[in-house]
Amino acid sequence: MAGLQEDEQGREVMIVAGEASGDLHGARLVQALQALDPCLRFCGMGGQELRAAGVELLADAAKLAVVGAVEVLSHLGDILRARRALIERMRARRPALLILIDYPDFNFLLARKAKQLGIPIFYYISPQLWAWRSGRIRTIKRLVDRMAVILPFEPSFYARHGVQVDFVGHPLLDSVKPGLSPDAFKSQHAIEPNRTLVGLLPGSRRKEIAALLPVFLDAAGLVARDLPRVTFLLPQAPTINRDLLDQYGLAAWQERLDIRVVSEGRYAMMAACDAAMAASGTVVLELGILGVPTVAAYRMSPHTYWLGRLLIRGVRFFSLINLIADREVIPELLQNAANPEQIARATLTMLQDEEKRQATLAGLAEVRRRLGGPGASQRAAAAALDLLDVRRKSRG
């Protein structure tokens, strides 16, 4: 009986995610692990998604979601408290497995402590070592027992450095589903069937909206000159209020253009678009999975841009679509090139040049195939459980 109790105590898994996407993918991983082994218990750090999945949160990731040196310094107390809470739990309860999701600067520190305590480490979703600070791959090789990656070019990158990883496919393939056909979406929003739909997706953070929404709206005005029967779709994230959108140009442009602000059914809205202008990031990959030709744009402060140029070397593209394809499938416009004229020109080309449009659609289909099939969370869960069980057998 004592052995059984000890074994049950050892079936606690600690999972750590520091950003919204990691929280979402982590929650799906927890659900997949629970389906394979209902006896597992979970604690760690994350947000609403991990909490809803039944994880006992020892630290709130929302307090750590900061960027830039000044923001990190102002949140240093929260960061240190979160790290301390997680380490104290590791010492007190010794979890059977530590699952780390991206978020490398914080997670590498935890991994070092877990290694000292003899806790096996499963890393899900690789940090972007292939873009910058590739020297950290030695840290992964030293600390991580097994790694599951979600981008198809990552296994060869790690193999070149002597690290074996599991490619499990991208979890977005399980979640990016429109739910409505484009015709049904138009009907639901009282949009005439023959209108062209163009998405405006400047991001979900205040800084992104400040940098890109005015540019996208100006570009929309230029597109509308050539396409009189065009409707623009602008998603409103829950974290963004309407006043902010109006402040950065929406109120003025709504008097001149047909712009619909959509607060629900985000994927249905995206799938209904004939083309889109989007801030480079996860949303561009989501649009690619849905087969929407997209202009990827990004603007940042000159200081951040030049620092990035110094740190990021050997990477030809900045959008995941083109990185996965290893060629230009969609237009990328960065910094000064992300101006209304060039964005409008690229958008119109994808709408009006049928040969270019079909080539783009074929490229997006190729990217979807390379991302693997549905079931990434289940494959990652199987690999994590395999590591957990191997360690248990070795101790036995």
Side-chain angles (χ1 to χ4, degrees):
M1 183 64 71
L4 178 61
Q5 290 174 347
E6 183 179 0
D7 182 59
E8 287 177 348
Q9 289 176 354
R11 299 296 281 184
E12 180 169 85
V13 173
M14 180 177 285
I15 183 166
V16 180
E19 296 164 327
S21 61
D23 183 46
L24 178 62
H25 298 323
R28 295 200 173 109
L29 177 60
V30 166
Q31 291 163 354
L33 283 164
Q34 289 170 330
L36 293 173
D37 188 345
C39 293
L40 290 176
R41 302 186 314 279
F42 296 88
C43 67
M45 183 177 85
Q48 294 179 353
E49 297 288 343
L50 278 170
R51 188 189 301 277
V55 177
E56 176 193 354
L57 292 188
L58 308 173
D60 183 356
K63 296 180 178 179
L64 279 67
V66 294
V67 292
V70 174
E71 290 90 342
V72 168
L73 287 174
S74 66
H75 287 75
L76 187 57
D78 292 322
I79 293 170
L80 293 175
R81 277 189 292 274
R83 181 171 175 264
R84 184 164 56 249
L86 293 165
I87 291 174
E88 285 176 357
R89 182 61 162 256
M90 282 196 287
R91 285 173 172 157
R93 298 272 285 267
R94 197 70 59 92
L97 183 67
L98 173 62
I99 298 176
L100 304 174
I101 301 179
D102 198 358
Y103 208 52
D105 293 323
F106 185 90
N107 278 336
F108 283 175
L109 293 172
L110 282 185
R112 290 188 182 96
K113 181 56 64 176
K115 197 73 172 178
Q116 293 171 6
L117 294 171
I119 300 167
I121 300 165
F122 182 79
Y123 215 122
Y124 180 45
I125 305 180
S126 168
Q128 295 182 351
L129 306 187
W130 35 267
W132 69 304
R133 295 177 68 182
S134 60
R136 294 182 297 175
I137 200 166
R138 292 190 292 272
T139 303
I140 285 178
K141 192 172 183 178
R142 186 175 72 254
L143 297 177
V144 175
D145 295 286
R146 190 159 179 175
M147 190 164 193
V149 299
I150 63 173
L151 296 174
F153 56 79
E154 289 176 325
S156 60
F157 167 79
Y158 278 102
R160 290 197 300 272
H161 293 84
V163 178
Q164 294 299 312
V165 299
D166 299 299
F167 173 61
V168 296
H170 206 293
L172 283 178
L173 291 171
D174 290 309
S175 59
V176 179
K177 297 175 182 178
L180 286 177
S181 69
D183 287 342
F185 176 86
K186 287 181 177 180
S187 175
Q188 186 181 79
H189 291 269
I191 299 172
E192 295 174 15
N194 61 348
R195 291 189 73 85
T196 299
L197 300 187
V198 175
L200 308 177
L201 296 99
S204 57
R205 297 184 180 93
R206 185 184 185 96
K207 285 185 178 180
E208 290 176 324
I209 290 170
L212 286 175
L213 181 56
V215 178
F216 284 179
L217 289 167
D218 287 347
L222 295 174
V223 169
R225 289 183 188 175
D226 276 30
L227 293 175
R229 298 190 63 79
V230 60
T231 294
F232 298 95
L233 304 176
L234 175 64
Q236 182 178 348
T239 54
I240 298 299
N241 61 48
R242 178 60 183 261
D243 289 344
L244 184 68
L245 300 178
D246 287 339
Q247 176 186 340
Y248 286 105
L250 176 61
W253 274 106
Q254 275 201 308
E255 298 175 1
R256 291 176 273 174
L257 300 174
D258 182 9
I259 305 175
R260 311 293 180 92
V261 178
V262 181
S263 57
E264 295 181 353
R266 180 167 167 268
Y267 289 143
M269 183 220 78
M270 291 163 66
C273 293
D274 298 290
M277 315 169 189
S280 182
T282 301
V283 67
V284 171
L285 187 58
E286 291 173 328
L287 286 160
I289 291 171
L290 292 168
V292 180
T294 300
V295 179
Y298 211 76
R299 283 187 163 196
M300 61 199 79
S301 70
H303 178 268
T304 301
Y305 173 68
W306 287 111
L307 181 61
R309 288 287 299 268
L310 290 173
L311 294 174
I312 299 173
R313 300 177 182 274
V315 178
R316 295 169 58 202
F317 305 105
F318 67 83
S319 75
L320 280 173
I321 292 292
N322 292 342
L323 283 166
I324 292 166
D326 197 27
R327 61 185 176 86
E328 185 177 290
V329 172
I330 62 171
E332 296 182 351
L333 299 173
L334 184 63
Q335 289 302 92
N336 292 335
N339 59 64
E341 292 74 21
Q342 291 199 57
I343 292 172
R345 189 180 309 120
T347 303
L348 286 167
T349 297
M350 292 189 298
L351 289 168
Q352 296 176 321
D353 185 331
E354 190 58 28
E355 183 177 351
K356 176 66 175 175
R357 181 174 180 82
Q358 290 305 316
T360 301
L361 292 172
L364 295 177
E366 176 190 336
V367 168
R368 285 198 302 276
R369 287 192 296 272
R370 292 189 182 186
L371 286 173
S377 299
Q378 288 74 19
R379 288 187 288 273
L385 273 185
D386 184 55
L387 172 60
L388 192 156
D389 290 336
V390 166
R391 282 304 185 98
R392 287 180 66 218
K393 289 175 184 176
S394 67
R395 288 199 303 267

